[in-house]
Amino acid sequence: MVLVVGAALAFVYQALKPAQDENVANDKRQQILSAIHIVAPEGKVGETYEKYITGEFLTDTEGNRTDGDAFGIDMASEVKKDAASRQLPVFIASTDDGKTVYVLPVYGAGLWGPIWGYVAVEENGDTVYGAYFSHSGETPGLGAEIATAHFQEQFVGKELYKDGKFRSIDVMKAGQKPVDNADYVDAISGGTITSKGVQSMLSDCLSLYDAFLNKLQTAEK
């Protein structure tokens, strides 16, 4: 009986795995789309993704572009590597308003577990076009607010460079401002640790794209 049940479960798992993998992939596709303010119609995530995401590639901390499976990169594993060994995914998006933007993944730690997201940067290599964040277990009504449109919309139009130098976006308590003239957004009330986790995540991850973003700025000029 044990062997029969075990064999049946194994069969069911193998039969369902392709569908499960596709659901996971579609969830990731929708997260990337969310960074450019696109919500795919139900059942059409793949089709919508192909419409707006026109390419992908990998880069390194020197800004060198290489071909590769950017979509398949596991950010949870990549962030454990030293900076020089990291593979940095870049997704090229074409927006409804005719812009080309570059969607960059970010990954960090909140209060209770991992947080992650995608930041879309305009072709000038500086201005944030949009942002999406999610989490695995932040407190509802507090840290979990990073996944809300209200929090994410604050990042639109923020700049990553000041006086020619990379300055990540800070997440500050109401009434406070960064000392280095960086752009900033309001932190989540009651979610200080998660807010600081987002700030650290952006700084740690986006700073690795500095050389790539500088090349975009040079091309723009």
Side-chain angles (χ1 to χ4, degrees), residues 6 26 28 79 112 116 118 139 149 161 176 183 189 195 201:
N26 278 336
K28 183 173 182 177
V79 296
W112 300 113
W116 63 88
Y118 295 89
T139 308
Y161 287 81
Q176 296 183 347
D183 273 359
S189 178
S195 296
M201 173 176 70

Side-chain angles (χ1 to χ4, degrees), residues 2 13 25 37 40 70 73 76 80 91 95 113-114 123 130 149 151 160 166 170 192 207 210 215 217:
V2 173
Y13 172 77
H37 317 295
I73 292 293
K80 297 176 183 178
F91 301 94
T95 68
E123 201 167 13
F151 179 73
L160 297 174
F166 177 79
D170 285 342
T192 302
S207 62
D210 182 34
K215 286 185 176 182
Q217 293 171 36

Side-chain angles (χ1 to χ4, degrees), residues 1-11:
M1 179 63 73
V2 173
L3 292 175
V4 172
V5 172
L9 290 175
F11 174 78

Side-chain angles (χ1 to χ4, degrees), residues 159-178:
E159 297 179 344
L160 297 174
Y161 287 81
K162 298 294 180 182
D163 300 321
K165 295 182 179 180
F166 177 79
R167 293 282 187 270
S168 186
I169 301 167
D170 285 342
V171 184
M172 309 294 295
K173 288 184 178 180
Q176 296 183 347
K177 295 182 179 181

Side-chain angles (χ1 to χ4, degrees), residues 107-116 134-139 142-144 146 188 191-201:
Y107 191 95
L111 175 59
W112 300 113
I115 57 177
W116 63 88
S134 191
H135 62 91
S136 63
E138 299 307 293
T139 308
L142 298 175
I146 66 170
I188 298 163
T192 302
I193 294 178
T194 308
S195 296
K196 289 302 178 185
V198 172
Q199 177 174 306
S200 296
M201 173 176 70

